[in-house]
Amino acid sequence: MRLPCKADVYCLASAQAQRVSSGLAVVSIGKCNDENMIAVLRTKEKLPAKYKLSGNVSRVFVKFASEGKASLQLRQPRLTIAISEAEPGQLRSFLSLLAAVCRGQSALSLSTLSSSAERPPQHLTVQRRQDYPTLAGFPATLERLVLQNCFLRRLDPRVLSLHHLRILNLASNRLTQLDVSSLPLADLCVAHNSLTVWPRLPVSLRRLDVSHNQLRELPGSVRLLSNLMVLSLAGNQLGQLPPTLSELSSLRELYVDDNRLSRLPESLSWRRLQVLSISGNLWDAPESQSVQEETLFSWAGCVIRRHLAPCIVLLPPRLQEALFSLPRCSVCGHFCASAYYQVAAKPAQLCSEWAASFVTGGQNRRNVLPVERILCSAKCAAAR
């Protein structure tokens, strides 16, 4: 019986317990040299630490087994092995075997745990619905998980308990909404799903692929993804891009191909990207001018964005979205209580200066792109 988990070993020889080792491991029970043993193999170790079980277990704590936690105390040496982040079903089976061994039953032979096959699993790929681990669950040690073509309509709640997960691929399913804000993800792929609402995401993301879904708009809160380097929005139904995209300080690659974009926000020119791909869009916005009148909310919102920005996350989600959507001047960068919107045709050759690699495709025969600029005052308009 092998249990992937996080295992902490504490020495009880002194008055105060001292942690001897900690980290991801595989904890096993079996027979070695005619003795029932428990073995703990660390991720980066070649050989496991083995301890005698028969007549050597003083106490077992199972109160939080349903949360994937348990611990046992040994008499010789005086140690406590604390198990956490285990899959609850596997942990219950492990504890049942432990109880049987402590009652005198013989365990199966304990094989040498030096091979890579016995190490805690860190990667799992499921590409067929019939291979989905419905009963077995997911090892708590996973760092990379691929669940493709599994016809998922919602995310398995057990995935949210994988506290070491860094890469999650949910491509080619049937998801309509998603909340992974509690996971420490660096790479998320949700391409080829049916998302209609922007997912709730962790700020740790560095790569995000939500291409080929049914998204119609991006929220202003996308600016919170300050670590994001690659963003793919291709194949959706986006009508426009929020100016807040320019506030993604780490963004290097942006893909918005095959949407319904009619214009580009000029604020994208603030940050020179490595790749900006915009082919397959409409680009049919006529030249126009419009004015957004100032309101009490817009004045208050400008003050909050300028001086109390860190406190916005404490506000209700709808109020956050309204504050994140405040217009920002394309010239001075200040938030606008009243704003002047101008849409003007700009040669694609000039827009190509916004990125090192600028991909427009061949459908734009006029070779011009409608660009929307936001001006906060006549002074900024004159600067243009």
Side-chain angles (χ1 to χ4, degrees), residues 18 28 30 35 119-120 126-127 138 149 163 182 205 208 235 248 292 294 315 374:
Q18 297 181 349
S28 306
E35 290 279 359
R119 296 185 180 278
V126 180
Q127 295 185 328
F138 302 96
N149 302 304
H163 303 300
S182 61
L205 272 181
L208 174 60
L248 297 178
Q292 175 181 297
E294 61 189 29
L315 299 175
I374 303 174

Side-chain angles (χ1 to χ4, degrees), residues 3 5-10 19 21-23 25 27 38 40 42 61 68-73 79-86 91:
L3 177 68
C5 62
K6 179 182 179 184
D8 298 325
V9 179
Y10 296 88
R19 185 162 60 183
S21 60
S22 176
V27 182
I38 183 170
V40 180
R42 303 285 171 200
F61 300 90
K69 301 177 182 178
S71 63
L72 64 151
Q73 291 183 357
L79 295 175
T80 292
I81 301 176
I83 296 172
S84 60
E85 301 182 12
L91 180 58

